[in-house]
Amino acid sequence: MRVLVQQTYRRGAPKGRIEMRHHQICSLLSSILILLLAPSLASPLEAAPSPGEIQFTGDHYKVEGGAKIDVSVVNPVFAPGTQSTIRLILANDGAVEGLVPGLVPPGFEEEAAQEMVAEFGCLEASKLRADLRSDGSVEVLSGPVHLDALGPGETAVLEFDLGIEDDAEGPILLSLDLEYEQQIDVSFSGGTPTPLYLPSSLQLDLIISVEGEPPALELMGARSSLSPGEEGSVTLIVGNAGERDAANCTARLVAASPFNPLGGRSHLGDIPPGGVAVARFDLLVEESARAQEYRLGCEISHDGGVESLSVPLTVASSEGARLLEISILGVLLGGAALAAIWLWRRRGKRPPRRHSLLPRR
C-alpha cells in the first residue's frame, strides 16, 4: 500500500482520492476477518430456533421431553339422586427422550454439568390448576383444585363433589381441564440458574356410570343329599330381594375338601325383583368326611357384578342315611296302616242295611 501511495503522489492525484482507497481496503480486510472467525463462534444450540420456539442462547445442554399428565377414576359408579365425591388419580408419566449437548468452552465444564442437571426440570409440571366440568345430568359442586408441583413418577389425589340428578342413568362424560407451567429451558451464569417457563393446558375426558340400587341376591333355601364316599347333589333356591333385575345370572359352587364339584356353573338366567331361581350342583364327598354340618360358598355372577352366598350343607353317614330312609318308610307304612284301620272302623260303625220283606203273591 505504501508503493501505491507514492505512485499516486507522483501523478499529482488529489489527497481526497488517496483517503478513499485506504477506507475501501480496511473494509475489505474487516469482512474477510469476520468470515474467517464465524465458524469458530457457532455452536449446535445457537442455531436459529424453529418457528414458535423460545430458548436461551449459549446453552451447553438441551433436554428433549416433558411432563406427561394422565388421570384415572377411583370410584366410577354412582347412584341417582345422591350427592357423592369423585376421586381422581393424577399421574405424571414424563420421561427424557434425548439429551442434546452443545459447545462447552474451556473452564465452563462445572457450569455445564450443573446446567445439564437443571435441564431435567422440564419433566415437572408446576402450578397446576384442575377443574372438573359436566354438561349432563351431573353437577360439579366443588371448585378447582390447585397443586404446587407434580414431578415425574408422582401421583396426586383430586376430589370433587358431585350432585347426581334423580333421573340420571348410564354412562356420563366429564371433562378435566388442566392448566400448568412447564420448564422449557434453563441457563447458568455465575453458578445461578435461570429457568424459562411456559404455560400449558390439557383436557382429559372421564366416563362415570350412574346406576340404581343393585340387585340383592339371597339364599332362600338349600337341600342336600350327601354321604361320605358317595356322590350327591345340592339344590339351592336363590331369590332377588332388590329393585333391579339380576341379568344373565350364573352360579358357581366354591368347594374345598372334603367336597369335589363334579360340574361347572349353573345357569340361572334373569332373576327379576321378587323372583327366584334354582341352582343344582353334583358333588363327590370324600370318604374321610365326617357326619356333620358344613358351609360352602356360592358365587353368583350377573351383569352388575358378583355376589357371594353362604350355603349350609349336612353330611350324614351311610348308616344314618339308610336309617333315615327306613324311618321315613316306616312312617309312611304306619300312616298307611292307620288310615286303613280308620276306614275299617268307620265302615263298622255304619248301621246295618235294612231289607224290606214283601209278601209273595
Side-chain angles (χ1 to χ4, degrees), residues 73 76 78 86 138 162 164 170-174 206-210:
V73 186
F78 299 89
I86 186 173
V138 174
L162 302 179
I164 315 296
I172 295 178
L173 179 65
L174 302 178
L206 309 173
I207 296 179
I208 64 173
S209 179
V210 179

Side-chain angles (χ1 to χ4, degrees), residues 16 23 51 55 108 119 128 142 145 191 242 259 263 319 327 358 360:
H23 176 70
Q55 64 180 28
F108 289 86
E119 286 283 359
L128 289 96
S142 58
V145 178
F259 302 102
E319 296 179 357
S327 300
L358 296 176
R360 294 181 181 180

